[in-house]
Amino acid sequence: MLSVIEQRQSVRKYDPTATISKEQLTKLLQLAGKAPSAWNLQHWHFVVFYGKEAQQKLLPIAYNQQQIVEASAVVAVLGDLQANKKTDAVYDPLVAQGKMTKEIKETLAKQIENAYTNAQYARDAAFSNASLAAMQLMLAAKAEGFDTCAIGGFDPQALMKTFHIPDRYVPVMLITIGKASAPAHPSSRLPINELTTWAE
C-alpha cells in the first residue's frame, strides 16, 4: 500500500487507445465506496463517463482539457447534501442482523437529523466525505495499474444541467482514469515540519 501511495501521480496525458472494462471500473468504484464516512452515510455519488461519446460531451464542461477524451474513463465525484436520507438504508440491515439495537439506531438518527438542520454542515460533510472516496478511488486505480488525475477545473453548473444531476448533489471533482502516455509533471512536497504542528 505504501508503494501505491508513493507511485501515484497526477497524470494528464493518456494513451487514447488504452481501455478499461466496465468490470474493472465497477471494481474500482466498489473499492472507493469502502472509504470511511461520518455515521457511515456514504456521502458520495459517482457519475461515470464511459465511452468517447459521453466523454466528448463532458469535454467543453471541463474547459476542453484533452485528458477528458484521451482517458479510458472519467468519474465525476458528487457529494450528497441529503445524506441524512440514507439513515434507514444504512442502519436497518444492521438492526435486522442483530448488530445494532433499535434504540441505538434511533439515537444516531436523531443526531444526524439535528446535524442536517445546518445547511453549512451538510455542504461541508458532502465535500469532506466525498473527497475521502475520491482519494480511495485514485489509490485503488493505481493499485490496479491505472493512472488518474483529480480535476477541479470544470463548470459545476453546466455539469449538473447537461447531465440532469439532481440538486441533492454537489459536484466535488472529476477524476480521469487510464494509462499514461507521458510521465506526470514533476512535483515536490514541502517539508513535513512546515505543514505540521505538534499540539501541547
Side-chain angles (χ1 to χ4, degrees), residues 43 80-82 84 115-116 118-127:
H43 313 55
D80 189 353
L81 297 170
Q82 299 174 22
N84 55 310
Y116 274 80
N118 183 329
Q120 186 62 52
Y121 171 81
R123 185 173 175 83
D124 290 347
F127 272 87

Side-chain angles (χ1 to χ4, degrees), residues 79-97:
D80 189 353
L81 297 170
Q82 299 174 22
N84 55 310
K85 292 185 176 180
K86 296 178 180 175
T87 304
D88 288 343
V90 170
Y91 297 137
D92 282 353
L94 297 175
V95 173
Q97 296 163 19

Side-chain angles (χ1 to χ4, degrees), residues 15 31-32 35 45 49 55 57-59 63 73 75 85 97 104 110 117 135 143 148 160 162 176-178 184 193:
D15 177 357
L31 291 169
H45 188 84
F49 300 89
Q55 289 167 245
K57 196 173 176 183
L58 179 62
L59 182 62
Y63 307 128
V75 175
K85 292 185 176 180
Q97 296 163 19
I104 290 176
K110 285 179 184 177
T117 60
M135 189 70 247
T148 58
M160 294 187 72
T162 302
T176 47
I177 302 173
N193 64 301

